[in-house]
Amino acid sequence: MFKTRVCSLLNIDYPIMQGGMAWVADGILAAAVSNAGGLGIIGAGHAPPEVVEKEIEKAMSLTKRSFGVNIMLLSPFADEIVNLVVEYKVKVVTTGAGSPGKYMDKLKTVARVIPVVASVALAKRMQQIGADAVVAEGLESGGHIGEISTMALVPQVADAVDIPVIAAGGIADGRGFLAALALGAEGVQMGTRFILSEECTVHPNYKQALLKAKDRDTVVTGLSTGHPTRVVKNRLAREFALKEKQGVSAEELEELGSGKLYAAAREGDVVGGSVMAGQICGLIKDIKPVGKVIKDIIEEARMISQSLNNLAG
Ligand code: TUI
């Protein structure tokens, strides 16, 4: 059940991908998701190539199944990460925060390439230059986001392209999974749900901050710098909002944000650090093994689809 083109394209059992979250999604988490039948993804973020290389090697030692690497296109190391995934013949590459156009031909020599898009225009452009699928990511997502909600973006992207569409943003259970399929997606990508898994090595303070967060506890900072970023409200988010209101320069704001995701995710500073998370964090009340996250979603979606079928007569 729920076998879509995404399953055959990526050689996975369930059309569920784990978001490639910078400083959060390492080789251990990626391997766990792939071993559970989904697609695990290492988040390269702004990390230097030596760090990403270690995570790729770790994932390779922990799983025989395909996994991916997310290349954050704003990273100063993006060129080197591209070379790394080609060298290691990583099977799947997702990209974020830009267009991977200049890397497409090179990446396609080894990997399935799946750009994350936040608009119909970019989705069409990605199909044209040979993307294997796209992740349509709504503004409910954590981290760097676009301007359109998942509910509005996914069906518009699904109508605009023939390649498979994977929905992201605001999905954490079987209801969200099934809703995404109803909107025309052939799979989902989840970030926040996988942060709250046993295998995620993010600092325990980060997990606790997400468990505590309710529906209105995330906020978007960085709108004035052109890098809107969804984070859990804390001292840093308030400081950011105040500086943006005061019209502080983009450079100063970038400086304020620099290194703050690392501080929260690896050092546990959830007060002065950047706790990126999606709006769905309010729904998630437990930390469970990755395998159970996936199993529960598929089982819940199966049950809902049966009751909807009865309802439809
Ligand atoms: O990339 C993400 N999410 C991220 S990256 C990240 S690391 C970071 N660290 C510090 C500050 C900011 C970010 C944290 N979260 N998601 C994929 C995504 N891509 N969302 C939105 C986009 C996007 C936006 C505009 C993609 C392309 C685009 O326009 C490109 C074009 O050429 O049209």
Side-chain angles (χ1 to χ4, degrees), residues 22 46 72 96-99 116 118 122 125 137 142-146 229 276:
H46 283 104
M72 220 281 281
S99 164
V116 178
L122 189 61
R125 195 142 46 94
E137 190 186 274
H144 179 59
I145 54 169
T229 304
M276 296 183 187

Side-chain angles (χ1 to χ4, degrees), residues 23-40:
W23 297 125
V24 172
D26 58 8
I28 294 177
L29 180 62
V33 174
S34 291
N35 283 333
L39 186 85

Side-chain angles (χ1 to χ4, degrees), residues 118-120 136-140 147-160 165 167-169 179 183-184:
S119 70
V120 168
E137 190 186 274
L139 59 75
E140 296 92 324
E147 295 169 356
I148 311 173
S149 68
T150 303
M151 186 81 156
L153 181 66
V154 172
Q156 294 188 69
V157 171
D159 278 358
V165 176
L183 292 174

